[in-house]
Amino acid sequence: MARARIAIAGFQHETNTFAPVRTTLDKFELGGTWPALTQGAAILDTFTDLNIPIGGFISAAADWSLVPVLWAGAEPGGYVCRAAFDEICHRLCRGLLQAGELDGVYLDLHGAMVVDGFEDGECEVVRRVREIVGNDVPIAVSLDLHGNLSPEFFALCNVVTIYRTYPHIDMADTGRRARHLLKLQLDHAAPLCKSFRQLDYLLPITTQSTRREPARRLYADLEQTPVAGVLSADVAMGFPPADIEHCGASLLCYGTEQAACDQYADQLLASWQKSEPEFIDPMVEAEVAVQQAMSITATAAKPVVICDPQDNPGAGATGDTTGLLRALINGRAQGVWFGMLWDEEAATLAHDAGVGSQLQVVLGGRYPAPGSADCDAPLPVSVVVEALGDGNFTFTGPMYGGARARLGKMALLRIDQDDCDVHVIVGAVRTQNADQEIFRHLGVEPSTCRIIVVKSAGHFLADYEPIAEKVIFAEATGSNPCVLKNIAYRNLRSGLRLGPGGPVYTRA
Ligand SMILES: [Zn+2]
């Protein structure tokens, strides 16, 4: 039998509809913590060994003829501009038209892309691909655990797999599972049976880590051998800072018997609904977080890690709010390494001045976040430049390990006022800190710090929790709102509840 010909492509974006910075084509061309936009055969060279779904798919598909088309991903951010979306889709579709006869298509997508004009970006991508390949060619998709899935999207795909870890250490594994499920579909005469369910409450990102209960247990359930007639089940916990109809968690099952899929989906849904009270938000006010960290580090051997989830660039926030930094300075915190703050201007000034220079800079606060107050205004401060970096290094943590960072100018600044001992990394590229190499690039060994501060909501846990005495979630303002009942949603579906035990949303 001839080898199956499978076209492979990827288009990843996690869109925060509250974020002030829109996502343009150049963001996809750059990539950032993702690889740069890649087309054709170069995809096989670039992705094969990376912890990215398409990399896992490629490595598991040696017995197929793969037709690599295009892969594009950008840092999470605001709405994807229509021109960028249309251009990337155009290149993807042109590649499929030129691919010749295909037995299947694999798409490495995110699940939470919102485009100017399309609330459900992935649905539109798959619709355009379906238009080219027709209904008889199976489409397999892998998604991020933060996907906001619609029934229309689910209907268009033959099979879907979703990450089962947050932090996402199983991205490549999810691509491998997509290959496995696509193989089962190719070997099955008819389309596989499938079931789709949506949870009736939103899950704040700060409660979603699969390193903690109840998500740890609920995701472990998915690894169990499914019941007869069911081949695979997955859950997306959703991405709450997206003001769209199908925001929220959903689950899906594939199998060979419809009744078995429906029953298993209902059983999973029931266990997620039952676990609702266990999703407890861990956030404390920034000032309280600083005081807690200081009192713990008085006796602790290991660092305390404070995260600033509401300004997590990995969820599309700017990564430049100053609320937590201000709380550290005002609290006279000692032994603090804060990494990092998005501030190209400060990084450039530090590079121009050189190591050892004393400078007056105005840090962050360029993009007022919803609900932001004076505490988030740009912060004028006296600093000493302690180290400089060009932002080119290799990540080593469990999530990004092996990938190249291209973060532009970076600088380590020591705050030189107010009897505090606070060091801040500023960088030219907006980036979530989920990897200790961001500190090491500037000569700081994280395990020797007393207090580490990162702008991240969950991904930092994979690399930082193992070295931490304690992790504290600080509540400071930013455009990744995590207190869901306070968000001014306008476009959710009625009946959805805003967080575990939260109020019921009614659409105007
Ligand atoms: Zn995610």
Side-chain angles (χ1 to χ4, degrees), residues 12 14 34 76 110 143-147 163 165-168 171 205 208 238-239 314 399 459:
Q12 285 247 6
E14 183 177 76
W34 293 114
H110 184 284
L143 294 178
D144 190 286
L145 167 150
H146 294 113
Y163 306 164
T165 59
Y166 176 41
H168 305 326
M171 292 188 277
I205 282 189
Q208 291 184 358
F239 185 62
M399 198 173 148
H459 286 321

Side-chain angles (χ1 to χ4, degrees), residues 16 18-20 166 204-206 239-241 281-286 306-324 367-373 375-376 430 432 453-458 460 472-487 489:
N16 176 335
F18 301 100
Y166 176 41
I205 282 189
T206 44
F239 185 62
D281 198 319
M283 282 198 297
V284 297
E285 283 177 20
I306 306 178
C307 72
D308 188 1
Q310 299 202 117
D311 190 34
N312 170 23
T318 58
D320 87 327
T321 65
T322 56
L324 183 51
Y367 298 92
S372 64
C375 64
D376 271 315
R430 194 172 60 86
Q432 170 175 217
V453 183
V454 293
K455 287 183 180 282
S456 173
F460 73 101
I472 302 174
F473 288 71
E475 183 178 349
T477 52
S479 47
N480 175 37
C482 295
V483 185
L484 305 184
K485 64 179 182 347
N486 295 342
I487 300 178
Y489 288 113

